[in-house]
Amino acid sequence: MGMMGAACSDPCASAPTPDTGDTVPTDWTPAALSDDIPVASAAPGQLGPHDLAIWRSASGRIAAWADRCPHRGMRLSHGFVRGERLSCIYHGWGYGEGGQCVRIPAHPELTPPEAIRVPVFSVAEASGVIWVAEEAPDGPPPEFPGVVAFRSLQVSAAPEALAAALGGTGTVIETVLGGAQVVALIQPLRGGAAGLHLLAPEGSDPAALDALSAEVEALRRRVEAAEEMTA
Amino acid sequence: MSEGGAMRDQWYPVGMTKQLTAQGRDTMLMGEPIRVALAGGAPSVTDGTGRALPVIDRFGHVWTSLGQPEKDLFTIPEVDQPGRRLVDVGVCRVRCSPLRAVENFLDIAHFPFVHTDILGSEPHTEVARYEVEIRDDVDEVWATKVKFFQPQAAKSAEGGITTDYMYRVCAPTCSVLYKTCPPKPGEWDVIALFVQPLTETLCDVWPYMALYDDDAEMTDLIHFQQMIFVQDRSVLENQLPALLPLDPGREIPTRADMTSIAYRRWLKRHGFTYGAQLVAA
C-alpha cells in the first residue's frame, strides 16, 4: 500500500484529451465528486477491497486514508476535521500529514509514537472528480474539457452492465444522455455494485440538468431491474 | 466443541421479568433460538427443541444459559440498600459484538467526543492514572480510583464536577459501574450493563440502574440513559473488525485503556471468545 499520498489538487494547465470508450490510462479510480466533500468534512469511500475515509482540510487539501482508526478500529469517515487534521469521533485521536497521529486527548502531554499512523492512499482532483489509487500512478488523472462534475449515483448492478446500458465499455464513457453530451465515470464497488460519476456540459441550465437527472435515474432503474432478472 | 466454547456455561440476560407473558417472547442466545415466557407465575426459558434451560430471576431480568453454569449468577449487594430507585431502562439492540459493547462501557476517554457536553467536554480530556486488577478470589476485573471531569454526570447533576468511578466486570458480557452520587455524597450510584449475545455481532443491551435520585421522573432517568446508549451505538456499529481482537497488534491501546486491556486478558484467559477475534496460531 502506498504510504505517501501524492496530493495533486492543482488543476493542470494542459489537460490531456480523454480516450473515448476506454479505461483510464493510469491507475486512478474515481471515488467521489469534489463538491461532495466540502471543506472541513469527511465521508466514506471505496477502492477495491479498501474502505476509505475521504476528507478535506480547512485549507482545502483533499486526502484519502484507510477508514479505520488504529486505536480501537472506529471508522475515521465518521470523524471530524479541525484545521489540517482529521480526528476520530471515538476518542478524538488526531491525525495530520501522511496519516501520522499527532494528538491523543486522553494524554495531552504525550507525543504520539511515529508507529501510530493511518495508511494513506494517493489522491488527486481533476474536472471536479476525486480520484484515488493504491500506489502513486505515473501521471495525473484525466481532465475532461467542456464538462463539469454534476452528480454521483450508486447503482446496484455490475460495472459492465452499467457500461453497456450507457452504450459503452470500460470505465470512461462519453455518451448522450437526456439530450446532453456527458462523460460517465464508472467505479467498481464491492458487492457487485457500481458508482456512476456523471459530468455534464459546462453552463447547462437548471432545466437541462433536471432532465439529465431524470434520465440517469431512469437508466439506473432499468439496469437494476435487468440485474435482478438475471440474478 | 459446541459453538460458544466456555461462554456457553455462563449466565445471560434474556428479558425483563415484568414484561413476561404466558405466550412468551422469541429471542436468541448465542445464535440459538430461545423462548422466554411466564409459566405458572415463574419465568421459564426453552431452547429451539423445547428443552427447559436453567433460569434465574434477578435484578428485574431473566437470566439463562445454554450450558451448565458452575457458579451462581453474580450479585450486586448495593441494589438492596434502602432508598435506591431501581430503573430498568429497557432494551437497546446494537449491531456489534457483545464484547465490544462491554468494552465501550468500561471506557471513559470517549466521553468528551461521543457524549459531548454530557459525560465529558473538551478541553477536559485527560485520563488520569487509575488502578486495574483481576481479583482472583472473585474472578472479576476491577478498575478503581478512576476520575473524570463531567459537565453533567447524571440527571441529578447541576453543572460540571469531577466524578469518581469504579468499574467491575463480573461476567463476560456484564459490567457494573459505581459513580459519584451528586445528591448523596459518600454513596455511589450503580449503573449496570447486561448484554445478551444474540450472535457474535449482534446484541441486546439491557442497562439497569440503582440510583439515589428522589427528584427525577422515572421517564427522565430512562430517557437520559437511553440517549447515552444511542450515542454509543453510533460508534459500536462502526468499528472494524466487528469482533473484539483479543491478541495484541491489531489495535493500539494506551494507559487510558488499562481496563480494556485487563478485560481482554481476562476473556482470553477463560476462553471467553464468542464475539472475539483470535489470530490463528
Side-chain angles (χ1 to χ4, degrees), chain A residues 134-171:
Chain A
E134 276 201 54
E135 306 288 342
D138 292 337
E143 296 274 354
F144 301 98
V147 290
V148 291
F150 171 49
R151 60 176 287 194
S152 289
L153 297 86
Q154 192 166 327
V155 183
S156 299
E160 298 76 19
L162 178 59
L166 287 159
T169 57
T171 57

Coordinates of all heavy atoms in Angstrom, one line a residue, chain A residues 134-171:
Chain A
E134 N -4.0 3.1 -5.1 CA -3.2 2.5 -4.1 C -1.7 3.0 -4.1 O -1.2 3.4 -3.1 CB -3.2 1.0 -4.2 CG -4.4 0.4 -3.5 CD -4.2 -1.1 -3.2 OE1 -3.2 -1.4 -2.5 OE2 -5.1 -1.9 -3.6
E135 N -1.1 2.8 -5.3 CA 0.3 3.3 -5.5 C 0.1 4.6 -6.3 O -0.8 4.7 -7.1 CB 1.1 2.3 -6.3 CG 1.1 0.9 -5.7 CD 2.0 0.8 -4.4 OE1 2.8 1.8 -4.2 OE2 1.8 -0.1 -3.6
A136 N 1.1 5.5 -6.1 CA 1.1 6.7 -6.9 C 1.2 6.4 -8.4 O 2.2 5.9 -8.8 CB 2.2 7.6 -6.5
P137 N 0.1 6.7 -9.2 CA 0.2 6.5 -10.6 C 1.3 7.4 -11.3 O 1.7 8.4 -10.7 CB -1.2 6.8 -11.1 CG -2.0 6.7 -9.9 CD -1.2 7.2 -8.8
D138 N 1.6 7.0 -12.5 CA 2.7 7.7 -13.3 C 2.3 9.1 -13.6 O 3.1 10.1 -13.6 CB 3.0 7.0 -14.6 CG 3.7 5.7 -14.2 OD1 4.3 5.6 -13.1 OD2 3.7 4.7 -15.1
G139 N 1.0 9.3 -13.9 CA 0.6 10.6 -14.4 C -0.7 11.1 -13.6 O -1.2 10.3 -12.8
P140 N -1.1 12.3 -13.9 CA -2.3 12.8 -13.2 C -3.5 12.1 -13.8 O -3.5 11.6 -14.9 CB -2.3 14.3 -13.5 CG -1.5 14.4 -14.8 CD -0.5 13.3 -14.8
P141 N -4.7 12.2 -13.1 CA -5.9 11.7 -13.6 C -6.4 12.5 -14.8 O -5.9 13.7 -15.0 CB -6.9 11.8 -12.5 CG -6.3 12.9 -11.6 CD -4.8 12.8 -11.8
P142 N -7.3 12.0 -15.6 CA -7.7 12.7 -16.9 C -8.5 13.9 -16.6 O -9.2 14.0 -15.6 CB -8.5 11.6 -17.6 CG -9.0 10.7 -16.6 CD -7.9 10.7 -15.5
E143 N -8.4 14.9 -17.5 CA -9.2 16.1 -17.5 C -10.2 15.9 -18.6 O -9.9 15.3 -19.6 CB -8.4 17.3 -17.7 CG -7.4 17.7 -16.7 CD -7.9 18.5 -15.5 OE1 -9.1 18.9 -15.6 OE2 -7.2 18.7 -14.5
F144 N -11.4 16.5 -18.4 CA -12.4 16.4 -19.5 C -12.9 17.8 -19.8 O -13.8 18.4 -19.1 CB -13.6 15.5 -19.0 CG -13.2 14.1 -18.7 CD1 -12.9 13.8 -17.4 CD2 -13.0 13.2 -19.7 CE1 -12.5 12.5 -17.0 CE2 -12.5 11.9 -19.4 CZ -12.3 11.5 -18.1
P145 N -12.4 18.4 -20.9 CA -12.7 19.8 -21.2 C -14.2 19.9 -21.6 O -14.7 18.9 -22.2 CB -11.8 20.1 -22.4 CG -10.8 19.0 -22.5 CD -11.4 17.8 -21.8
G146 N -14.8 20.9 -21.3 CA -16.2 21.2 -21.7 C -17.3 20.6 -20.8 O -18.5 20.9 -21.0
V147 N -16.9 19.8 -19.9 CA -17.9 19.2 -18.9 C -17.4 19.5 -17.5 O -16.2 19.7 -17.2 CB -18.1 17.7 -19.1 CG1 -18.8 17.4 -20.4 CG2 -16.8 16.9 -19.1
V148 N -18.4 19.5 -16.6 CA -18.1 19.6 -15.2 C -18.8 18.6 -14.4 O -19.8 18.0 -14.8 CB -18.5 21.0 -14.6 CG1 -17.7 22.1 -15.3 CG2 -20.0 21.3 -14.9
A149 N -18.3 18.3 -13.2 CA -18.9 17.2 -12.4 C -20.3 17.6 -12.0 O -20.5 18.8 -11.6 CB -18.0 17.1 -11.1
F150 N -21.2 16.7 -12.2 CA -22.6 17.0 -11.9 C -23.2 16.3 -10.7 O -23.5 16.9 -9.7 CB -23.4 16.7 -13.2 CG -24.9 16.8 -13.0 CD1 -25.5 17.9 -12.4 CD2 -25.7 15.7 -13.5 CE1 -26.9 18.0 -12.2 CE2 -27.1 15.8 -13.3 CZ -27.7 16.9 -12.7
R151 N -23.2 14.9 -10.8 CA -23.7 14.2 -9.6 C -23.2 12.7 -9.6 O -22.8 12.2 -10.7 CB -25.2 14.2 -9.5 CG -25.9 13.6 -10.6 CD -27.4 13.6 -10.4 NE -27.8 12.6 -9.4 CZ -29.1 12.2 -9.2 NH1 -30.1 12.7 -9.9 NH2 -29.4 11.3 -8.3
S152 N -23.2 12.1 -8.4 CA -22.8 10.7 -8.3 C -24.0 9.9 -7.9 O -24.8 10.4 -7.1 CB -21.7 10.5 -7.2 OG -20.5 11.1 -7.7
L153 N -24.1 8.7 -8.4 CA -25.1 7.8 -8.0 C -24.5 6.4 -7.7 O -23.5 6.1 -8.3 CB -26.2 7.5 -9.2 CG -27.0 8.6 -9.7 CD1 -26.2 9.4 -10.8 CD2 -28.3 8.1 -10.2
Q154 N -25.1 5.7 -6.9 CA -24.7 4.3 -6.7 C -25.7 3.4 -7.3 O -26.9 3.6 -7.2 CB -24.6 4.0 -5.2 CG -23.9 2.7 -4.9 CD -23.5 2.5 -3.4 OE1 -23.2 3.5 -2.8 NE2 -23.5 1.3 -2.9
V155 N -25.2 2.4 -8.1 CA -26.1 1.5 -8.9 C -25.9 0.1 -8.4 O -24.7 -0.4 -8.3 CB -25.8 1.7 -10.4 CG1 -26.8 0.8 -11.2 CG2 -25.9 3.1 -10.8
S156 N -27.0 -0.6 -8.1 CA -26.9 -2.0 -7.7 C -26.8 -2.9 -8.9 O -27.7 -3.7 -9.1 CB -28.0 -2.3 -6.8 OG -28.1 -1.5 -5.6
A157 N -25.7 -2.8 -9.6 CA -25.5 -3.6 -10.8 C -24.0 -3.7 -11.1 O -23.3 -2.8 -10.6 CB -26.3 -3.0 -12.0
A158 N -23.6 -4.7 -11.8 CA -22.2 -4.8 -12.1 C -21.8 -3.6 -13.0 O -22.5 -3.1 -13.8 CB -22.0 -6.1 -12.9
P159 N -20.5 -3.2 -12.8 CA -20.0 -2.1 -13.7 C -20.2 -2.4 -15.2 O -20.5 -1.4 -15.9 CB -18.5 -2.1 -13.3 CG -18.4 -2.7 -11.9 CD -19.5 -3.7 -11.9
E160 N -20.0 -3.6 -15.6 CA -20.1 -4.0 -17.0 C -21.5 -3.7 -17.5 O -21.7 -3.2 -18.6 CB -19.7 -5.4 -17.3 CG -18.2 -5.7 -16.9 CD -18.0 -5.9 -15.4 OE1 -19.0 -6.1 -14.6 OE2 -16.8 -5.8 -15.0
A161 N -22.5 -4.1 -16.7 CA -23.9 -3.9 -17.1 C -24.2 -2.4 -17.1 O -24.9 -2.0 -18.1 CB -24.8 -4.6 -16.0
L162 N -23.7 -1.7 -16.2 CA -23.9 -0.2 -16.3 C -23.3 0.4 -17.5 O -23.9 1.2 -18.2 CB -23.3 0.4 -15.0 CG -23.4 2.0 -14.9 CD1 -24.9 2.4 -15.0 CD2 -22.8 2.5 -13.6
A163 N -22.0 0.0 -17.8 CA -21.4 0.5 -19.0 C -22.2 0.1 -20.3 O -22.4 1.0 -21.2 CB -20.0 -0.1 -19.1
A164 N -22.7 -1.1 -20.3 CA -23.4 -1.5 -21.5 C -24.7 -0.7 -21.6 O -25.1 -0.3 -22.8 CB -23.8 -3.0 -21.4
A165 N -25.3 -0.4 -20.5 CA -26.6 0.4 -20.6 C -26.3 1.9 -21.0 O -27.1 2.5 -21.6 CB -27.2 0.5 -19.2
L166 N -25.0 2.3 -20.8 CA -24.7 3.6 -21.2 C -24.1 3.6 -22.7 O -23.7 4.6 -23.2 CB -23.6 4.2 -20.3 CG -24.0 4.7 -18.9 CD1 -22.9 4.7 -18.0 CD2 -24.8 6.0 -19.0
G167 N -24.2 2.4 -23.3 CA -23.8 2.3 -24.7 C -22.3 2.2 -24.9 O -21.7 2.6 -25.9
G168 N -21.5 1.7 -23.8 CA -20.1 1.7 -24.0 C -19.5 0.5 -23.2 O -20.2 -0.4 -22.7
T169 N -18.2 0.5 -23.1 CA -17.5 -0.4 -22.3 C -16.4 0.3 -21.5 O -16.1 1.5 -21.7 CB -16.8 -1.5 -23.2 OG1 -15.9 -0.8 -24.1 CG2 -17.7 -2.3 -24.0
G170 N -15.8 -0.4 -20.5 CA -14.8 0.2 -19.7 C -15.3 1.1 -18.6 O -16.5 1.0 -18.2
T171 N -14.5 2.1 -18.2 CA -14.9 2.9 -17.1 C -15.0 4.3 -17.4 O -15.4 5.1 -16.5 CB -13.8 2.7 -15.9 OG1 -12.6 3.1 -16.4 CG2 -13.8 1.3 -15.4

